[in-house]
Amino acid sequence: VSTQSTGTLIESIYKADKIGEKRSRQPLPYLDAVYFLRPTRENLEVIMGDFGSSKDTYKNRLYKAGHIFFTETISDEALTQLAKSDAALFIKTVQEVNVAFLPVEERVFSLENKASYADYFSDRVGGEKKEEKLDQIAEQLVTVCAALCDTPCPKVRYCSTSVRSVKQLAEKVQKKLDKYNSNGVITGSNNRSTLIILDRGFDPVTPFLHDLYFQAMAYDLLSKASAGPKIDPESNILKYDHEVILEPENELWRELRHLHIGQALPVVTDKAKRLFERFNSIKNKGAGDKTHMTDMKSMLNQMPNYKREEQNCTAF
């Protein structure tokens, strides 16, 4: 269960493998397989190969059956190819889930296209390849719109002074959005949103500036630190006497990450002060001669939360 480039997305299953590593995948002919991938020619060939050829279909299968979930729309030609293959005997589910992007945060997503700059701006990239890449990006952007269920088909806008690729991309996105909308994939209220497509030339200065917001400074300064607190950017864990997970589940991190450093520090100081006062209150209750069992139970229940908040404040 994997995408082409981002690794495993689904956990807590019996076994998870990358689609391109057939030799290292253990045959499990008694279990169904769930495929979560892009509908590319290479991926379809791997799926069909997993269930053998017509001569040895039942002998060399890797899995008992297959459930395929495509991250974007599969073409009619590709679907026909899959339907006519021997693997079709064992495919129980084929579905498009429209999630050809990676949600990084609540309001940030990535298309995982690291070669986009070279693909769109280099003269060495041929027109046919560039068209193919633009088409892929357009399809991914459309799945973002489809995933936002509370918005109807958005209006597409682009900067008229941008490079030609931006206009081509905007036209492709609009065309695909119209198709999705006609099929009822994107629905919502009458208040249409707007999708604005810009290239880096619209704002070339920002990448050269040092961001002074809490999250950016934490990763910039602590991911390369040789001593003291250090952030592992792969696991999003801050290591300092103890480990602090920098994920939305961490309430203090969620509150601080988008604040300017000048705003974040007073928040941490205030929280640490209130935490200390709360701890003294709990301790004073426990020191009394007439402490009731209900009070003691309440104190014990609050201790894990206090310990977690103390670790967060100490780390930040």
Side-chain angles (χ1 to χ4, degrees), residues 6 35 56 60 64-65 70 75 159 163 170 234 237 239-240 264 300-302:
T6 58
Y35 294 89
D56 54 4
N60 294 330
K64 180 181 178 181
F70 291 119
S75 66
C159 182
V163 294
E234 296 295 327
I237 292 179
K239 297 180 180 179
Y240 179 73
L300 292 173
N301 289 337
Q302 291 180 50

Side-chain angles (χ1 to χ4, degrees), residues 168-209:
Q168 292 175 316
L169 178 60
E171 291 173 347
K172 286 179 178 292
V173 170
Q174 186 64 70
K175 185 178 180 180
K176 290 178 180 292
L177 281 172
D178 293 340
K179 182 179 179 180
Y180 268 63
N181 199 40
S182 63
N183 294 333
V185 176
I186 302 178
T187 58
S189 63
N190 293 325
N191 298 320
R192 295 183 66 186
S193 55
T194 302
L195 174 62
I196 302 175
I197 300 176
L198 303 171
D199 71 331
R200 186 70 266 173
F202 183 81
D203 176 23
V205 178
T206 297
F208 297 97
L209 299 178

Side-chain angles (χ1 to χ4, degrees), residues 31 114 140 187 189 191 222 245 267 278:
L31 290 178
K114 297 179 181 179
Q140 289 179 278
T187 58
S189 63
N191 298 320
L222 300 183
I245 300 177
V267 173
R278 197 171 74 188

Side-chain angles (χ1 to χ4, degrees), residues 37-312:
L37 35 67
R38 293 184 56 235
T40 63
R41 182 187 61 190
E42 294 80 6
N43 285 343
L44 290 177
E45 288 175 353
V46 171
I47 293 173
M48 292 185 286
D50 285 351
F51 295 95
S53 63
S54 57
K55 295 180 180 180
D56 54 4
T57 298
Y58 290 89
K59 185 185 297 184
N60 294 330
R61 282 184 296 159
L62 281 184
Y63 310 108
K64 180 181 178 181
H67 304 269
I68 307 174
F69 296 89
F70 291 119
T71 59
E72 58 200 75
T73 302
I74 181 173
S75 66
D76 294 337
E77 295 79 8
L79 190 60
T80 301
Q81 180 188 5
L82 182 63
K84 290 182 178 180
S85 69
D86 295 313
L89 295 170
F90 307 102
I91 302 301
K92 292 184 177 180
T93 307
V94 176
Q95 189 171 339
E96 298 166 348
V97 292
N98 297 320
V99 285
F101 60 94
L102 285 179
V104 180
E105 292 184 10
E106 293 177 1
R107 300 182 182 181
V108 181
F109 66 89
S110 171
L111 303 183
E112 283 288 282
N113 190 346
K114 297 179 181 179
S116 60
Y117 187 86
D119 290 338
Y120 306 140
F121 298 107
S122 175
D123 294 332
R124 297 180 181 179
V125 180
E128 186 175 339
K129 182 180 179 182
K130 189 173 292 186
E131 280 289 319
E132 182 182 338
K133 291 290 185 179
L134 285 173
D135 201 64
Q136 177 188 329
I137 293 295
E139 185 66 38
Q140 289 179 278
L141 286 174
V142 169
T143 65
V144 175
C145 298
L148 301 175
C149 300
D150 59 339
T151 60
C153 183
K155 296 175 287 186
V156 180
R157 297 287 184 267
Y158 67 93
C159 182
S160 59
T161 58
S162 297
V163 294
R164 184 168 174 267
S165 297
V166 174
K167 180 182 179 181
Q168 292 175 316
L169 178 60
E171 291 173 347
K172 286 179 178 292
V173 170
Q174 186 64 70
K175 185 178 180 180
K176 290 178 180 292
L177 281 172
D178 293 340
K179 182 179 179 180
Y180 268 63
N181 199 40
S182 63
N183 294 333
V185 176
I186 302 178
T187 58
S189 63
N190 293 325
N191 298 320
R192 295 183 66 186
S193 55
T194 302
L195 174 62
I196 302 175
I197 300 176
L198 303 171
D199 71 331
R200 186 70 266 173
F202 183 81
D203 176 23
V205 178
T206 297
F208 297 97
L209 299 178
H210 189 78
D211 198 329
L212 296 179
Y213 285 79
F214 191 80
Q215 183 181 39
M217 290 196 70
Y219 276 86
D220 285 349
L221 300 177
L222 300 183
S223 60
K224 304 293 184 182
S226 57
K230 186 172 183 178
I231 289 178
D232 180 358
E234 296 295 327
S235 60
N236 291 324
I237 292 179
L238 172 62
K239 297 180 180 179
Y240 179 73
D241 292 340
H242 46 266
E243 293 187 348
V244 177
I245 300 177
L246 306 180
E247 295 287 353
E249 291 74 19
N250 186 324
E251 293 183 6
L252 184 57
W253 172 251
R254 189 170 66 243
E255 181 180 353
L256 295 175
R257 61 183 179 178
H258 293 154
L259 292 180
H260 188 277
I261 190 68
Q263 297 172 306
L265 293 180
V267 173
V268 175
T269 302
D270 181 62
K271 282 189 174 291
K273 180 181 178 181
R274 284 189 282 129
L275 192 63
F276 181 74
E277 292 173 351
R278 197 171 74 188
F279 174 73
N280 283 336
S281 174
I282 294 174
K283 187 170 67 172
N284 292 335
K285 280 186 179 180
D289 296 332
K290 298 182 180 180
T291 303
H292 296 287
M293 290 297 295
T294 53
D295 294 332
M296 292 181 63
K297 182 179 179 181
S298 175
M299 287 161 47
L300 292 173
N301 289 337
Q302 291 180 50
M303 287 307 293
N305 290 333
Y306 170 80
K307 190 66 178 177
R308 184 171 58 251
E309 291 179 34
E310 180 193 30
Q311 290 177 344
N312 282 341

